[in-house]
Amino acid sequence: MTTEELKNIKARLEIRAGLISAVRAFFDSRGFMEVSTPVLINAPAPEEYIEGISAAAGFLRTSPELQMKQMVCAGYEKIYQLGPCFRKGEFGSRHRPEFTMLEWYQTDIDYKELMDFTFELIKESVFALKASYEIEYQNETVDFSQAPEIINVADAYQRFTGKSVENADLTDEFDTLMVDCIEPELGKGKMTFLKDYPANRAALARLKADNKEVAERWELYVCGMELANAYSELTDPREQRMRFAEARRVRKTNGFVEYPEAEEFFAAMEKGMPECAGCALGIDRLVMLLSDSPDIGFINPDFA
Amino acid sequence: MFSASDLRKGLKIQIDGDPWVITDFDFCKPGKGTALYRCKMKNMITGNTMDKTYRSVDKIEKPDLEEREMYYSYPDGEFFVFSDAETYEEMRISKEFLGKKIYFLIEDSLCQVLLFNGLAIDVSLPTFIEKEIAETEPGARGDTATNVTKPAKIDNGYEIQVPIFINTGDIVKIDTRTGDYAERVSKA
């Protein structure tokens, strides 16, 4: 990035800096402790379609999830972290292989209470920065103070694709329909929480106690853009091992790299993990919204 | 075959036997899902456009496209004959396919011919050619405005819009991509 380009990007980077200050103030006022876990780790969580970047003898973290959960197991009740994460090959108008993640965990709450918390976090951060709850993004107005839309994944498929989510899964169209037909309809004028994912897309979320077909997971959307992913966290180490084994199998089929088993994480979990909920939010995407940037490149100084 | 990760703006691919060029491209990935490649594309023969999203497992056909440098040689009835700059091999391209480009063919000028499965699907002529104005109303002396135009004919009968100050016998430059007047080269 040239000196000229850096000068031009300054107003957008001021929005980024302001947002980060506002986010920290929000967490600090709610009694959260900021933590910093290592960026260079040995054993990333094996997720089906997220690939790590090798560095030194290990990997750059794809997320701080396992390390922060170890802290939760050790009795840290409210923690948050802001920092870089890395994902191989992800480069597009809303993706960079290096991006800034805001991740937090709180014990004794579930994904619904986390939804309320996240709504407040974003609403208050936007207000702290803009002195208004309204923003304009690519000629759409969003009012962050409006009660959010909450929609189940199954209903979203039915409503926006005319297909059942089970059918979409069977024909391997879950992701393409999500991107082409559902996401553009979410977060119009206010926040949308898309919740209750099918169990086979639970990732690290626990299944509903009264319906094992559905996972307690939601994603937050604004203006069709995915901002955050959250779970009532899975606390059962046996089920967690089974999920990782399945993810490893899929990874292997797709030629993804094999990670070492996250034994320290499992050891912590086996001693007992408190009920908790956690969320990961892409800071760059929120900065895009607040700076009316159509492409993530507008807010990321790419140094050569 | 291309794999989905090869997709990018400008890549030429084949779908159902037709060549398409990708005009817009984005990588995306729904939460925890697979990588997806969203493409906007244009049919290189019909000019039709469409959107298509590929998954990382998808394979995409490679079109048999070849760009050759050819000299325009001579007209032959309903056809125009071009000869390969390297092999001198001759190729006949129909008048119908060339459309208004037939008015801008200049003997021995170097052209780019795009072939799909051995058949020409696009011919690019030299971007600018010079032609003499064969017929136009007399120019208004001293009027150098370029935004007021009048019709004029070049030697082969093709009609273009030229500025008022152009006279019969002037040499003008024409943009072969649009078929429009570009500038005056010299006065009669």
Side-chain angles (χ1 to χ4, degrees), chain A residues 16-26:
Chain A
R16 170 188 281 271
L19 175 68
I20 287 175
S21 297
V23 163
R24 283 208 164 97
F26 185 87

mmCIF file with all atom_site columns, all heavy atoms in Angstrom, chain A residues 16-26:
data_model
loop_
_atom_site.group_PDB
_atom_site.id
_atom_site.type_symbol
_atom_site.label_atom_id
_atom_site.label_alt_id
_atom_site.label_comp_id
_atom_site.label_asym_id
_atom_site.label_entity_id
_atom_site.label_seq_id
_atom_site.pdbx_PDB_ins_code
_atom_site.Cartn_x
_atom_site.Cartn_y
_atom_site.Cartn_z
_atom_site.occupancy
_atom_site.B_iso_or_equiv
_atom_site.pdbx_formal_charge
_atom_site.auth_seq_id
_atom_site.auth_comp_id
_atom_site.auth_asym_id
_atom_site.auth_atom_id
_atom_site.pdbx_PDB_model_num
ATOM 1  N N   . ARG A 1 16 ? -12.578 2.161  12.275 1.00 0.00 ? 16 ARG A N   1
ATOM 2  C CA  . ARG A 1 16 ? -12.142 0.893  12.866 1.00 0.00 ? 16 ARG A CA  1
ATOM 3  C C   . ARG A 1 16 ? -11.649 1.120  14.307 1.00 0.00 ? 16 ARG A C   1
ATOM 4  O O   . ARG A 1 16 ? -12.063 0.414  15.236 1.00 0.00 ? 16 ARG A O   1
ATOM 5  C CB  . ARG A 1 16 ? -11.025 0.274  12.025 1.00 0.00 ? 16 ARG A CB  1
ATOM 6  C CG  . ARG A 1 16 ? -10.354 -0.912 12.691 1.00 0.00 ? 16 ARG A CG  1
ATOM 7  C CD  . ARG A 1 16 ? -9.126  -1.377 11.901 1.00 0.00 ? 16 ARG A CD  1
ATOM 8  N NE  . ARG A 1 16 ? -9.512  -2.187 10.760 1.00 0.00 ? 16 ARG A NE  1
ATOM 9  C CZ  . ARG A 1 16 ? -9.661  -3.514 10.804 1.00 0.00 ? 16 ARG A CZ  1
ATOM 10 N NH1 . ARG A 1 16 ? -9.446  -4.171 11.911 1.00 0.00 ? 16 ARG A NH1 1
ATOM 11 N NH2 . ARG A 1 16 ? -10.027 -4.178 9.738  1.00 0.00 ? 16 ARG A NH2 1
ATOM 12 N N   . ALA A 1 17 ? -10.796 2.109  14.461 1.00 0.00 ? 17 ALA A N   1
ATOM 13 C CA  . ALA A 1 17 ? -10.238 2.382  15.794 1.00 0.00 ? 17 ALA A CA  1
ATOM 14 C C   . ALA A 1 17 ? -11.349 2.740  16.783 1.00 0.00 ? 17 ALA A C   1
ATOM 15 O O   . ALA A 1 17 ? -11.372 2.256  17.918 1.00 0.00 ? 17 ALA A O   1
ATOM 16 C CB  . ALA A 1 17 ? -9.214  3.506  15.705 1.00 0.00 ? 17 ALA A CB  1
ATOM 17 N N   . GLY A 1 18 ? -12.296 3.573  16.327 1.00 0.00 ? 18 GLY A N   1
ATOM 18 C CA  . GLY A 1 18 ? -13.410 3.981  17.185 1.00 0.00 ? 18 GLY A CA  1
ATOM 19 C C   . GLY A 1 18 ? -14.274 2.795  17.575 1.00 0.00 ? 18 GLY A C   1
ATOM 20 O O   . GLY A 1 18 ? -14.715 2.660  18.723 1.00 0.00 ? 18 GLY A O   1
ATOM 21 N N   . LEU A 1 19 ? -14.513 1.905  16.619 1.00 0.00 ? 19 LEU A N   1
ATOM 22 C CA  . LEU A 1 19 ? -15.338 0.724  16.896 1.00 0.00 ? 19 LEU A CA  1
ATOM 23 C C   . LEU A 1 19 ? -14.658 -0.153 17.954 1.00 0.00 ? 19 LEU A C   1
ATOM 24 O O   . LEU A 1 19 ? -15.302 -0.631 18.894 1.00 0.00 ? 19 LEU A O   1
ATOM 25 C CB  . LEU A 1 19 ? -15.568 -0.076 15.613 1.00 0.00 ? 19 LEU A CB  1
ATOM 26 C CG  . LEU A 1 19 ? -16.313 -1.388 15.836 1.00 0.00 ? 19 LEU A CG  1
ATOM 27 C CD1 . LEU A 1 19 ? -17.751 -1.131 16.265 1.00 0.00 ? 19 LEU A CD1 1
ATOM 28 C CD2 . LEU A 1 19 ? -16.290 -2.262 14.587 1.00 0.00 ? 19 LEU A CD2 1
ATOM 29 N N   . ILE A 1 20 ? -13.364 -0.349 17.783 1.00 0.00 ? 20 ILE A N   1
ATOM 30 C CA  . ILE A 1 20 ? -12.649 -1.219 18.715 1.00 0.00 ? 20 ILE A CA  1
ATOM 31 C C   . ILE A 1 20 ? -12.668 -0.624 20.131 1.00 0.00 ? 20 ILE A C   1
ATOM 32 O O   . ILE A 1 20 ? -12.893 -1.351 21.105 1.00 0.00 ? 20 ILE A O   1
ATOM 33 C CB  . ILE A 1 20 ? -11.228 -1.516 18.180 1.00 0.00 ? 20 ILE A CB  1
ATOM 34 C CG1 . ILE A 1 20 ? -11.358 -2.498 17.006 1.00 0.00 ? 20 ILE A CG1 1
ATOM 35 C CG2 . ILE A 1 20 ? -10.318 -2.076 19.270 1.00 0.00 ? 20 ILE A CG2 1
ATOM 36 C CD1 . ILE A 1 20 ? -10.096 -2.822 16.268 1.00 0.00 ? 20 ILE A CD1 1
ATOM 37 N N   . SER A 1 21 ? -12.509 0.691  20.238 1.00 0.00 ? 21 SER A N   1
ATOM 38 C CA  . SER A 1 21 ? -12.612 1.340  21.554 1.00 0.00 ? 21 SER A CA  1
ATOM 39 C C   . SER A 1 21 ? -14.004 1.119  22.150 1.00 0.00 ? 21 SER A C   1
ATOM 40 O O   . SER A 1 21 ? -14.148 0.808  23.334 1.00 0.00 ? 21 SER A O   1
ATOM 41 C CB  . SER A 1 21 ? -12.399 2.851  21.453 1.00 0.00 ? 21 SER A CB  1
ATOM 42 O OG  . SER A 1 21 ? -11.120 3.119  20.992 1.00 0.00 ? 21 SER A OG  1
ATOM 43 N N   . ALA A 1 22 ? -15.031 1.285  21.307 1.00 0.00 ? 22 ALA A N   1
ATOM 44 C CA  . ALA A 1 22 ? -16.410 1.151  21.790 1.00 0.00 ? 22 ALA A CA  1
ATOM 45 C C   . ALA A 1 22 ? -16.686 -0.275 22.255 1.00 0.00 ? 22 ALA A C   1
ATOM 46 O O   . ALA A 1 22 ? -17.339 -0.504 23.272 1.00 0.00 ? 22 ALA A O   1
ATOM 47 C CB  . ALA A 1 22 ? -17.389 1.549  20.683 1.00 0.00 ? 22 ALA A CB  1
ATOM 48 N N   . VAL A 1 23 ? -16.173 -1.234 21.503 1.00 0.00 ? 23 VAL A N   1
ATOM 49 C CA  . VAL A 1 23 ? -16.376 -2.646 21.852 1.00 0.00 ? 23 VAL A CA  1
ATOM 50 C C   . VAL A 1 23 ? -15.701 -2.954 23.193 1.00 0.00 ? 23 VAL A C   1
ATOM 51 O O   . VAL A 1 23 ? -16.300 -3.571 24.077 1.00 0.00 ? 23 VAL A O   1
ATOM 52 C CB  . VAL A 1 23 ? -15.818 -3.551 20.724 1.00 0.00 ? 23 VAL A CB  1
ATOM 53 C CG1 . VAL A 1 23 ? -15.619 -4.976 21.215 1.00 0.00 ? 23 VAL A CG1 1
ATOM 54 C CG2 . VAL A 1 23 ? -16.752 -3.523 19.519 1.00 0.00 ? 23 VAL A CG2 1
ATOM 55 N N   . ARG A 1 24 ? -14.469 -2.475 23.348 1.00 0.00 ? 24 ARG A N   1
ATOM 56 C CA  . ARG A 1 24 ? -13.757 -2.714 24.618 1.00 0.00 ? 24 ARG A CA  1
ATOM 57 C C   . ARG A 1 24 ? -14.522 -2.079 25.780 1.00 0.00 ? 24 ARG A C   1
ATOM 58 O O   . ARG A 1 24 ? -14.692 -2.708 26.828 1.00 0.00 ? 24 ARG A O   1
ATOM 59 C CB  . ARG A 1 24 ? -12.351 -2.105 24.561 1.00 0.00 ? 24 ARG A CB  1
ATOM 60 C CG  . ARG A 1 24 ? -11.374 -2.927 23.764 1.00 0.00 ? 24 ARG A CG  1
ATOM 61 C CD  . ARG A 1 24 ? -9.920  -2.721 24.256 1.00 0.00 ? 24 ARG A CD  1
ATOM 62 N NE  . ARG A 1 24 ? -9.080  -3.785 23.740 1.00 0.00 ? 24 ARG A NE  1
ATOM 63 C CZ  . ARG A 1 24 ? -8.311  -3.697 22.640 1.00 0.00 ? 24 ARG A CZ  1
ATOM 64 N NH1 . ARG A 1 24 ? -8.263  -2.561 21.968 1.00 0.00 ? 24 ARG A NH1 1
ATOM 65 N NH2 . ARG A 1 24 ? -7.607  -4.724 22.236 1.00 0.00 ? 24 ARG A NH2 1
ATOM 66 N N   . ALA A 1 25 ? -15.004 -0.854 25.568 1.00 0.00 ? 25 ALA A N   1
ATOM 67 C CA  . ALA A 1 25 ? -15.730 -0.160 26.639 1.00 0.00 ? 25 ALA A CA  1
ATOM 68 C C   . ALA A 1 25 ? -16.976 -0.960 27.023 1.00 0.00 ? 25 ALA A C   1
ATOM 69 O O   . ALA A 1 25 ? -17.304 -1.094 28.207 1.00 0.00 ? 25 ALA A O   1
ATOM 70 C CB  . ALA A 1 25 ? -16.110 1.246  26.186 1.00 0.00 ? 25 ALA A CB  1
ATOM 71 N N   . PHE A 1 26 ? -17.661 -1.498 26.026 1.00 0.00 ? 26 PHE A N   1
ATOM 72 C CA  . PHE A 1 26 ? -18.875 -2.276 26.298 1.00 0.00 ? 26 PHE A CA  1
ATOM 73 C C   . PHE A 1 26 ? -18.550 -3.507 27.153 1.00 0.00 ? 26 PHE A C   1
ATOM 74 O O   . PHE A 1 26 ? -19.186 -3.754 28.175 1.00 0.00 ? 26 PHE A O   1
ATOM 75 C CB  . PHE A 1 26 ? -19.546 -2.699 24.987 1.00 0.00 ? 26 PHE A CB  1
ATOM 76 C CG  . PHE A 1 26 ? -20.853 -3.402 25.187 1.00 0.00 ? 26 PHE A CG  1
ATOM 77 C CD1 . PHE A 1 26 ? -22.032 -2.690 25.293 1.00 0.00 ? 26 PHE A CD1 1
ATOM 78 C CD2 . PHE A 1 26 ? -20.907 -4.796 25.280 1.00 0.00 ? 26 PHE A CD2 1
ATOM 79 C CE1 . PHE A 1 26 ? -23.253 -3.337 25.487 1.00 0.00 ? 26 PHE A CE1 1
ATOM 80 C CE2 . PHE A 1 26 ? -22.118 -5.453 25.484 1.00 0.00 ? 26 PHE A CE2 1
ATOM 81 C CZ  . PHE A 1 26 ? -23.286 -4.718 25.584 1.00 0.00 ? 26 PHE A CZ  1
#
